[in-house]
């Protein structure tokens, strides 16, 4: 997660800036005011793309779910998706990444759609590429569909993904400082979180969705052709406050919370809290700096209140999305709570977010897996996460995984973390075979029954340049082999008959597998290397020549 320093700006009495929206609903070239609810004006209509007509009334999308299965055109479907961040690539490179996704055996592309990328410094929202070709969202989605991929759209407003401001433009916080919360005792928030239901924030989100949702809506899946098959609402809701162990306290939230306390406890509130019946300012101060005598009760009530508030926030987002034409496909909520090699805290994420999706028609949840290496200590976490999720789903909602770490885990590119390549395949298989009877998932999922020859294709061609599963086969001989990792000797590869093509450990670092280990170990093992030993925490290879 990226932490950004919150910046504030003195606006004085200057007139609000006017902001143009390129793409969305309404008339071209329309302008909207900068501040508050009701400020969002009509936006320019986005082109539907070549041969892509706007959806007609009653032209329902054909993505549903039943009996814990995702159904596309009425048939159970396995969705194997990989993330491609078009906004981090030159437009000319989009096709090459899609080619790699094909070689990796994917059938769906998932992508964040960052608000902060599509909003330019002057406040313009550009989703048509008018200010830069890479901002043409419709062009990227069309390219995915032309290549035969389905799409999972993830338009925020929060996206995280190591983006500045977690994907929300810094302007939003600067223009509306009242949405920026403080923590206990008025401490400044250590993360770029906001009050989700603050009217000013919702007004800005409505404006963003009015621009981006029509672009997505024009590309929804229709029977017989690829399309957008799901839309994720926000990202890891509530995670920023959770990881910082600090509440999101704003004036608006405190007013909302005080009203909830009065409705929940009525005349019994005085027996629970000494500040009951006092003026709002005194009650707010008592909540911001609780005394030991009632602090446990306050923590419990604030947690319960926030669960309902998250659900109201997701309902608002869904309303805005549907107003923009996104209907008839599942809306997704991803659950945070894994990290540090463990899913011990995952039930907290479920408890925070279950009211946003549990038993709600058209809503699906998905796990976020960041377990790193698979070990005897955490392998059971894969089972438990599925069990916890299924316990709060209804009879139809399938188990899915919306984020699954399939790379080296060095997200900061600073060698702060490294994951061995063989962990990827093991986690895929354990995760896939323990998702009850459902063939459904959303991202980066493998199935044990897939033919080996289709799983072992272009090892370095996956979207994240990560090695393929630990048990694969040579394209030439279809002989089962077991890929290895630095620190594993030939003797331990008893099932290996030969390495797949391109796996030579060449000094030039040009081979596919060498390039992978170069990312993991920071060096290439030269030809003739028998044992490769990983020095923990160091980007080095120890090479033992052939005897």
């Amino acid at each position: 997660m990226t932490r950004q320093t919150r910046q504030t700006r003195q606006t004085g009495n200057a007139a609000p800036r006017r902001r143009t929206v390129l793409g969305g609903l309404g008339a071209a070239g329309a302008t909207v005011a900068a501040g508050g609810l009701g400020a969002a004006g009509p936006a320019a209509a986005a082109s539907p793309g070549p041969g892509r007509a706007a959806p007609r009334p009653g032209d329902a999308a054909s993505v549903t779910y039943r009996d814990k299965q995702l159904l596309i055109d009425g048939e159970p479907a396995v969705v194997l998706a990989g993330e491609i961040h078009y906004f981090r690539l030159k437009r000319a490179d989009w096709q090459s990444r899609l080619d790699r996704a094909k070689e990796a055996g994917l059938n769906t592309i998932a992508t964040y759609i960052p608000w902060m990328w599509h909003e330019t410094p002057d406040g313009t929202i550009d989703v048509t590429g008018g200010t830069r070709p890479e901002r043409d969202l419709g062009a990227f989605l069309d390219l995915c569909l032309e290549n035969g991929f389905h799409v999972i759209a993830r338009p925020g407003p929060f996206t995280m993904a190591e983006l500045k401001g977690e994907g929300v433009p810094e302007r939003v916080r600067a223009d509306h400082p009242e949405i920026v919360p403080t923590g206990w005792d008025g401490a400044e928030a250590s993360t770029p979180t906001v009050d989700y239901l603050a009217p000013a924030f919702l007004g800005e989100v409505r404006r963003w969705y009015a621009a981006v949702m029509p672009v997505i809506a024009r590309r929804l899946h229709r029977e017989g052709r690829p399309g957008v098959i799901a839309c994720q609402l926000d990202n890891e809701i509530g995670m920023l406050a959770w990881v910082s162990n600090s509440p999101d306290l704003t004036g608006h939230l405190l007013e909302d919370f005080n009203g909830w306390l009065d409705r929940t406890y009525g005349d019994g509130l005085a027996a629970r809290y000494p500040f009951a019946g006092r003026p709002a300012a005194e009650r707010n101060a008592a909540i911001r700096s609780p005394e030991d005598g009632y602090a446990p009760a306050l923590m419990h009530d604030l947690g319960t209140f926030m669960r309902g508030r998250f659900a109201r926030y997701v309902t608002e987002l869904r309303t805005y999305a549907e107003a923009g034409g996104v209907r008839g496909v599942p809306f997704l909520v991803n659950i945070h709570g894994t990290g540090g090699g463990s899913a011990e805290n995952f039930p907290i994420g479920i408890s925070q977010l279950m009211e946003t999706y549990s038993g709600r028609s058209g809503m699906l949840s998905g796990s976020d897996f960041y377990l790193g290496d698979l070990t005897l200590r955490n392998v059971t976490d894969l089972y438990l996460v599925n069990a916890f999720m299924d316990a709060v789903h209804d009879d139809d909602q399938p188990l899915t995984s919306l984020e699954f770490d399939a790379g080296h885990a060095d997200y900061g590119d600073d060698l702060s973390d490294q994951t061995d390549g063989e962990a990827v395949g093991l986690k895929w298989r354990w995760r896939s075979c323990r998702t009850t009877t459902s063939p459904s998932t959303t991202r980066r999922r493998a199935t044990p029954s897939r033919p080996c020859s289709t799983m072992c294709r272009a090892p370095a061609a996956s979207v994240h340049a990560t090695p393929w599963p630990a048990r694969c086969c040579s394209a030439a001989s279809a002989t089962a082999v077991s890929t290895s990792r630095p620190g594993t000797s030939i003797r331990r590869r008893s099932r290996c008959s030969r390495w797949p093509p391109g796996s030579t450990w060449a000094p030039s670092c040009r081979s596919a597998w060498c390039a992978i280990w170069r990312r993991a170990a920071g060096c290439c093992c030269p030809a003739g290397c028998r044992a490769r030993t990983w020095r923990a925490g160091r980007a080095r290879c120890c090479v033992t020549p052939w005897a």
Side-chain angles (χ1 to χ4, degrees), residues 73-92:
D73 294 340
E75 296 294 329
V78 173
V79 178
L80 179 61
E83 190 90 3
I84 295 182
H85 290 172
Y86 66 95
F87 50 92
R88 286 185 162 120
L89 298 167
K90 295 290 186 181
R91 182 164 176 168

Side-chain angles (χ1 to χ4, degrees), residues 494-545:
S494 58
R495 289 180 296 177
C496 292
S497 62
R498 76 185 195 82
W499 292 96
S503 61
T504 304
W505 300 91
S508 65
C509 298
R510 291 179 181 175
S511 82
W513 286 86
C514 187
I516 291 167
W517 294 126
R518 182 171 176 239
R519 288 175 65 91
C523 62
C524 278
C525 298
C529 176
R530 177 174 181 176
R532 304 159 186 85
T533 303
W534 171 254
R535 289 183 180 176
R538 303 284 184 181
R540 298 176 182 174
C541 261
C542 292
V543 179
T544 302

Side-chain angles (χ1 to χ4, degrees), residues 163-205:
L163 292 171
K164 187 175 183 180
E166 309 294 359
V168 176
E170 289 295 322
R171 174 199 62 79
V172 174
R173 299 177 181 87
D175 284 0
H176 309 288
E178 71 275 16
I179 74 174
V180 179
T182 56
W184 300 121
D185 301 318
E188 182 177 347
S190 59
T191 63
T193 182
V194 302
D195 178 356
Y196 291 123
L197 288 181
F201 180 66
L202 290 180
E204 294 282 5
V205 172

Side-chain angles (χ1 to χ4, degrees), residues 38 128 223 230 294 305 377 388 463 524:
T128 61
E223 186 171 358
Y294 61 85
F305 163 75
R377 292 182 178 274
F388 287 138
V463 176
C524 278

Side-chain angles (χ1 to χ4, degrees), residues 53-209:
R56 297 167 303 194
D59 186 14
S62 51
V63 183
T64 57
Y65 58 89
R66 184 178 64 249
D67 297 330
K68 299 192 179 297
Q69 295 181 338
L70 186 68
L71 306 177
I72 298 179
D73 294 340
E75 296 294 329
V78 173
V79 178
L80 179 61
E83 190 90 3
I84 295 182
H85 290 172
Y86 66 95
F87 50 92
R88 286 185 162 120
L89 298 167
K90 295 290 186 181
R91 182 164 176 168
D93 293 331
W94 288 353
Q95 183 61 55
S96 69
R97 301 313 192 270
L98 293 175
D99 290 340
R100 293 185 182 185
K102 289 180 186 178
E103 293 169 352
L106 306 180
N107 60 18
T108 303
I109 301 300
T111 187
Y112 289 120
I113 304 172
W115 181 5
M116 59 82 67
W117 163 247
H118 286 281
E119 179 167 308
T120 61
D122 66 353
T124 297
I125 295 179
D126 178 13
V127 292
T128 61
T131 59
R132 179 166 174 164
E134 290 78 13
R135 289 193 173 104
D136 192 343
L137 173 61
F140 176 72
L141 297 180
D142 287 338
L143 190 61
C144 292
L145 306 189
E146 290 164 10
N147 278 269
F149 291 107
H150 295 305
V151 172
I152 297 173
R154 311 175 76 196
F158 280 87
T159 54
M160 286 60 178
E162 289 69 51
L163 292 171
K164 187 175 183 180
E166 309 294 359
V168 176
E170 289 295 322
R171 174 199 62 79
V172 174
R173 299 177 181 87
D175 284 0
H176 309 288
E178 71 275 16
I179 74 174
V180 179
T182 56
W184 300 121
D185 301 318
E188 182 177 347
S190 59
T191 63
T193 182
V194 302
D195 178 356
Y196 291 123
L197 288 181
F201 180 66
L202 290 180
E204 294 282 5
V205 172
R206 187 184 298 117
R207 175 176 175 266
W208 162 237
Y209 269 29

Side-chain angles (χ1 to χ4, degrees), residues 67-377:
D67 297 330
K68 299 192 179 297
Q69 295 181 338
L70 186 68
L71 306 177
I72 298 179
D73 294 340
E75 296 294 329
V78 173
V79 178
L80 179 61
E83 190 90 3
I84 295 182
H85 290 172
Y86 66 95
F87 50 92
R88 286 185 162 120
L89 298 167
K90 295 290 186 181
R91 182 164 176 168
D93 293 331
W94 288 353
Q95 183 61 55
S96 69
R97 301 313 192 270
L98 293 175
D99 290 340
R100 293 185 182 185
K102 289 180 186 178
E103 293 169 352
L106 306 180
N107 60 18
T108 303
I109 301 300
T111 187
Y112 289 120
I113 304 172
W115 181 5
M116 59 82 67
W117 163 247
H118 286 281
E119 179 167 308
T120 61
D122 66 353
T124 297
I125 295 179
D126 178 13
V127 292
T128 61
T131 59
R132 179 166 174 164
E134 290 78 13
R135 289 193 173 104
D136 192 343
L137 173 61
F140 176 72
L141 297 180
D142 287 338
L143 190 61
C144 292
L145 306 189
E146 290 164 10
N147 278 269
F149 291 107
H150 295 305
V151 172
I152 297 173
R154 311 175 76 196
F158 280 87
T159 54
M160 286 60 178
E162 289 69 51
L163 292 171
K164 187 175 183 180
E166 309 294 359
V168 176
E170 289 295 322
R171 174 199 62 79
V172 174
R173 299 177 181 87
D175 284 0
H176 309 288
E178 71 275 16
I179 74 174
V180 179
T182 56
W184 300 121
D185 301 318
E188 182 177 347
S190 59
T191 63
T193 182
V194 302
D195 178 356
Y196 291 123
L197 288 181
F201 180 66
L202 290 180
E204 294 282 5
V205 172
R206 187 184 298 117
R207 175 176 175 266
W208 162 237
Y209 269 29
V212 72
M213 288 301 174
V215 181
I216 297 171
R218 292 179 181 276
R219 293 155 177 89
L220 292 175
H221 175 76
R222 301 291 179 231
E223 186 171 358
R225 67 167 174 81
V228 176
I229 59 173
C231 179
Q232 182 177 305
L233 302 176
D234 207 276
N235 189 60
E236 296 179 334
I237 297 168
M239 183 270 292
L240 293 174
W242 175 60
V243 298
S244 62
N245 196 27
S246 176
D248 289 340
L249 300 180
T250 64
H252 179 264
L253 186 143
L254 287 170
E255 180 181 357
D256 197 5
F257 181 48
N258 275 311
W260 180 88
L261 288 175
D262 290 336
R263 292 189 301 273
T264 301
Y265 294 104
D267 295 337
L269 185 63
R272 191 170 180 84
Y273 295 110
F275 56 76
R278 295 184 183 177
E282 294 184 22
R283 289 178 61 155
N284 290 348
I287 293 170
R288 289 183 183 275
S289 301
E291 297 176 359
D292 292 344
Y294 61 85
L298 180 67
M299 302 296 179
H300 176 273
D301 285 341
L302 188 59
T304 303
F305 163 75
M306 290 303 296
R307 293 182 188 112
R309 212 164 192 268
F310 292 151
R312 288 157 53 198
Y313 174 57
V314 169
T315 299
E316 286 289 322
L317 295 183
R318 181 173 180 174
T319 299
Y320 303 161
E322 291 178 338
V326 178
R327 306 183 190 90
V329 297
F331 289 102
L332 310 176
V333 173
N334 60 332
I335 305 171
H336 54 84
T338 60
S342 170
E344 181 179 358
N345 292 321
F346 193 80
I348 297 176
I350 292 179
S351 71
Q352 284 184 313
L353 298 177
M354 60 178 288
E355 291 185 26
T356 68
Y357 63 84
S358 180
R360 291 178 179 253
S361 177
M363 298 295 304
L364 297 180
S365 73
S367 58
D368 284 6
F369 269 102
Y370 292 96
L371 294 182
D373 291 322
L374 200 64
T375 69
L376 292 176
R377 292 182 178 274

